[in-house]
């Protein structure tokens, strides 16, 4: 049973470009969470989604950031018009009906 | 404010020695407390999870304690190994929310 998959593992973008981060949850998991880890800081919650629904987006920046978890395919975290401050590691986690969250390896975004 | 504070920030010990990491939290209402291990460049991996009624939980050489009255937890590592070198993160979940609140972690380095 494969774990949580994230791709790409490393992403480099220039300021103003768009970044798309993908997360495939563990098999059988319908809950997905996105967290951001800035350099030298702890992980910060961004958004929690179930299939086709955003349940809690209290940690999402109001502008430029969006997330989706379609019926088919991976969850996508989209960052439009990236700025240097978006450089961070973005972690996805998934869970089944229980609360245990399993984390993926992360995507490291670098904005030049 | 819902926070999780950890100490020390970093720690160096010799292989074979024991160590204890501390965590204080103000997250409320409290649901559970978890300890995660995060290797450099990897996603966090769950070590233990404790609810309000649990005082201690072990996972091999890792033993976590919880005092819900004082809102403190500790993670004790016995007979450390080089592979224990990682960040250890204290994570608290609020009742009724899936989102996790992370501490900044303790960076442990085990030297031969």
């Amino acid at each position: 049973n494969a774990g949580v998959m994230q791709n790409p593992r490393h992403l480099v973008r220039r300021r103003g470009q768009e970044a798309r981060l993908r997360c495939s949850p563990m098999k059988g998991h319908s809950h997905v969470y996105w967290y951001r880890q800035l350099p030298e800081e702890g992980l910060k919650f961004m958004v929690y989604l179930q299939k086709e629904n955003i349940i809690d987006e209290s940690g999402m920046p109001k502008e430029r950031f969006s997330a989706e978890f379609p019926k088919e395919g991976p969850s996508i975290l989209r960052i439009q018009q990236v700025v240097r401050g978006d450089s961070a590691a973005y972690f996805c986690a998934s869970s089944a009906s229980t609360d245990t969250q399993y984390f993926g390896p992360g995507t490291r975004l670098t904005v030049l | 404010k819902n926070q999780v504070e950890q100490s020390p920030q970093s720690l160096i010990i010799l292989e074979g020695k024991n160590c204890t990491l501390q965590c204080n939290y103000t997250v409320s209402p409290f649901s559970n407390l978890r300890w995660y291990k995060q290797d450099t460049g990897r996603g966090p991996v769950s070590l233990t999870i404790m609810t309000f009624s649990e005082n201690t939980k072990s996972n091999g050489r890792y033993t976590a304690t919880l005092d819900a009255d004082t809102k403190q937890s500790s993670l004790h590592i016995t007979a450390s190994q080089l592979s224990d070198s990682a960040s250890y993160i204290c994570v608290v979940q609020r009742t009724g929310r899936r989102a996790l609140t992370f501490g900044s972690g303790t960076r442990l380095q085990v030297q031969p």
Side-chain angles (χ1 to χ4, degrees):
Chain A
N1 186 14
V4 178
M5 311 279 284
Q6 288 189 249
N7 68 81
R9 294 294 308 278
H10 301 273
L11 182 61
V12 179
R13 286 288 178 267
R14 297 191 180 279
R15 281 178 296 170
Q17 291 184 320
E18 178 180 287
R20 279 183 180 242
L21 288 61
R22 294 175 183 77
C23 170
S24 296
M26 287 179 68
K27 187 176 181 180
H29 287 190
S30 59
H31 305 261
V32 165
Y33 316 81
W34 286 94
Y35 294 84
R36 176 166 63 176
Q37 186 174 31
L38 296 171
E40 305 302 318
E41 293 188 14
L43 277 74
K44 296 285 195 300
F45 168 76
M46 299 181 74
V47 62
Y48 159 43
L49 311 100
Q50 290 186 29
K51 280 289 186 181
E52 300 185 275
N53 291 302
I54 295 174
I55 307 302
D56 180 354
E57 57 181 346
S58 58
M60 285 281 269
K62 292 290 185 281
E63 298 175 347
R64 301 188 298 108
F65 285 73
S66 62
E68 63 177 11
F69 188 16
K71 187 176 180 181
E72 301 290 338
S75 175
I76 305 287
L77 180 67
R78 182 182 177 204
I79 311 172
Q80 296 178 289
Q81 299 174 333
V82 295
V83 300
R84 288 220 173 104
D86 296 334
S87 295
Y90 292 82
F91 290 95
C92 168
S94 74
S95 71
S97 56
T98 63
D99 282 335
T100 302
Q101 295 181 24
Y102 297 87
F103 284 81
T107 293
R108 276 147 191 83
L109 172 65
T110 301
V111 180
L112 302 178
Chain B
K1 190 175 180 181
N2 294 299
Q3 287 187 316
V4 178
E5 304 284 344
Q6 291 187 244
S7 63
Q9 269 192 325
S10 60
L11 183 62
I12 300 174
I13 61 173
L14 293 177
E15 187 178 11
K17 298 296 185 182
N18 304 334
C19 66
T20 300
L21 314 180
Q22 302 292 342
C23 173
N24 298 316
Y25 63 92
T26 59
V27 177
S28 180
F30 175 84
S31 174
N32 59 73
L33 184 145
R34 308 147 188 244
W35 282 93
Y36 279 83
K37 178 185 179 186
Q38 185 177 21
D39 292 307
T40 301
R42 301 283 188 95
V45 175
S46 179
L47 295 175
T48 63
I49 177 171
M50 290 181 290
T51 59
F52 185 89
S53 59
E54 296 176 293
N55 300 118
T56 185
K57 184 72 71 76
S58 290
N59 177 1
R61 294 180 296 103
Y62 302 105
T63 299
T65 65
L66 173 65
D67 185 335
D69 291 329
T70 62
K71 298 187 178 182
Q72 295 180 327
S73 176
S74 66
L75 180 68
H76 186 75
I77 304 175
T78 305
S80 61
Q81 300 176 359
L82 296 178
S83 59
D84 292 333
S85 296
S87 285
Y88 291 85
I89 309 171
C90 179
V91 183
V92 180
Q93 185 173 30
R94 293 168 63 187
T95 301
R97 290 198 69 203
R98 292 283 187 131
L100 302 176
T101 302
F102 284 73
S104 296
T106 293
R107 288 176 187 74
L108 175 65
Q109 184 178 349
V110 180
Q111 294 184 340

